[in-house]
């Protein structure tokens, strides 16, 4: 079924020449034949650095033990690549790590004679925004909905709000959620400094 899935379903629509399709099927038969599951002779997928094979048996414990023995990192030869592919990968990974580390370094912005770091600017901005957030308490938010509901009931003279007042209460609930999220996020940000 894997041979059909890979050879006919996945590549079948892309391979338009009959001869190319025959070559593809020969390769699949060579690398994914029934010999993978034969008991007489064990097939080894690769022996580059580690012996990759299909374990014999039908117990899940056998397969998990085989997987646990496999290395976490493998050489490029396992995938049919040249050894220089690993050098290229590590070179790019090192460049990315250094780029990320440099971007995390505090930067100084010179204002007058004193330098203000990027962290100080972020902390000051966060404090300013937090002071402007109209938060009554972290549990309630900006508007106490119980108080607002009671005021609406007194104003209406009935225990049911009008449709416009229902929308108002829903929007106030969303506004409270936004204010609480802003306050907690800014507080967490200030804790980082």
């Amino acid at each position: 079924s894997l041979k059909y899935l890979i050879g006919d379903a996945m590549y079948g629509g892309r391979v338009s020449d009959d001869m190319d399709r025959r070559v593809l099927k020969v390769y699949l038969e060579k690398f994914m034949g029934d010999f993978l599951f034969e008991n007489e002779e064990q097939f080894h997928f690769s022996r580059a650095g580690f012996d990759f094979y299909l374990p014999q048996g039908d117990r899940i414990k056998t397969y998990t033990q085989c997987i646990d023995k496999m290395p976490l990192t493998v050489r490029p030869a396992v995938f049919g690549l040249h050894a220089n592919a690993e050098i290229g990968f590590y070179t790019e990974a090192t460049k990315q790590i250094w780029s990320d580390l440099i971007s995390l370094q505090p930067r100084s912005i010179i204002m007058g004679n004193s330098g203000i770091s990027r962290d100080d600017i972020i902390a000051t901005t966060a404090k300013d925004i937090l002071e402007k957030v109209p938060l009554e308490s972290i549990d309630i938010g900006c508007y106490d909905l119980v108080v607002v509901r009671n005021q609406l009931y007194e104003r209406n003279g009935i225990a049911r709000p009008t449709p416009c007042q229902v929308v108002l209460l829903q929007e106030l609930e969303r506004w409270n959620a936004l204010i609480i999220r802003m306050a907690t996020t800014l507080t967490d940000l200030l804790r980082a400094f």
Side-chain angles (χ1 to χ4, degrees), residues 20-185:
D20 289 343
R21 184 167 302 171
R22 284 179 56 192
V23 169
L24 181 64
K25 287 188 178 186
V26 167
Y27 280 140
L28 284 172
E29 189 61 39
K30 169 80 174 145
F31 292 107
M32 297 186 75
D34 292 333
F35 59 88
L36 290 175
F37 304 104
E38 290 178 0
N39 291 332
E40 293 86 30
E41 187 176 336
Q42 191 171 27
F43 176 77
H44 298 271
F45 291 99
S46 173
R47 291 189 171 176
F50 182 78
D51 198 9
F52 291 93
Y53 63 93
L54 187 66
Q56 301 297 321
D58 58 353
R59 313 255 334 160
I60 230 171
K61 188 174 184 179
T62 307
Y63 289 99
T64 55
Q65 287 173 347
C66 180
I67 291 169
D68 288 339
K69 291 179 189 174
M70 288 184 182
L72 294 177
T73 58
V74 293
R75 295 182 176 169
V78 171
F79 303 105
L81 299 173
H82 192 270
N84 288 344
E86 187 173 27
I87 294 170
F89 167 75
Y90 284 130
T91 302
E92 288 301 315
T94 303
K95 286 180 185 177
Q96 185 64 43
I97 289 171
W98 278 111
S99 172
D100 293 343
L101 285 174
I102 289 170
S103 71
L104 292 173
Q105 292 294 317
R107 295 185 180 104
S108 294
I109 299 172
I110 299 174
M111 302 181 99
N113 292 336
S114 64
I116 300 173
S117 71
R118 184 173 141 218
D119 294 345
D120 292 338
I121 292 172
I122 292 172
T124 305
T125 306
K127 282 180 193 172
D128 290 342
I129 294 172
L130 186 58
E131 289 171 2
K132 294 175 184 175
V133 172
L135 184 68
E136 186 175 318
S137 80
I138 200 71
D139 298 328
I140 295 173
C142 184
Y143 295 100
D144 189 353
L145 292 179
V146 174
V147 173
V148 172
R149 250 189 220 106
N150 289 338
Q151 288 174 350
L152 289 175
Y153 293 157
E154 289 174 10
R155 182 175 177 194
N156 293 344
I158 57 173
R160 277 184 275 129
T162 65
C164 286
Q165 291 171 345
V166 169
V167 172
L168 172 69
L169 290 171
Q170 290 172 346
E171 290 301 318
L172 288 177
E173 188 174 350
R174 289 188 184 113
W175 176 255
N176 281 343
L178 175 66
I179 294 296
I180 290 169
R181 172 62 69 93
M182 284 178 64
T184 55
T185 304

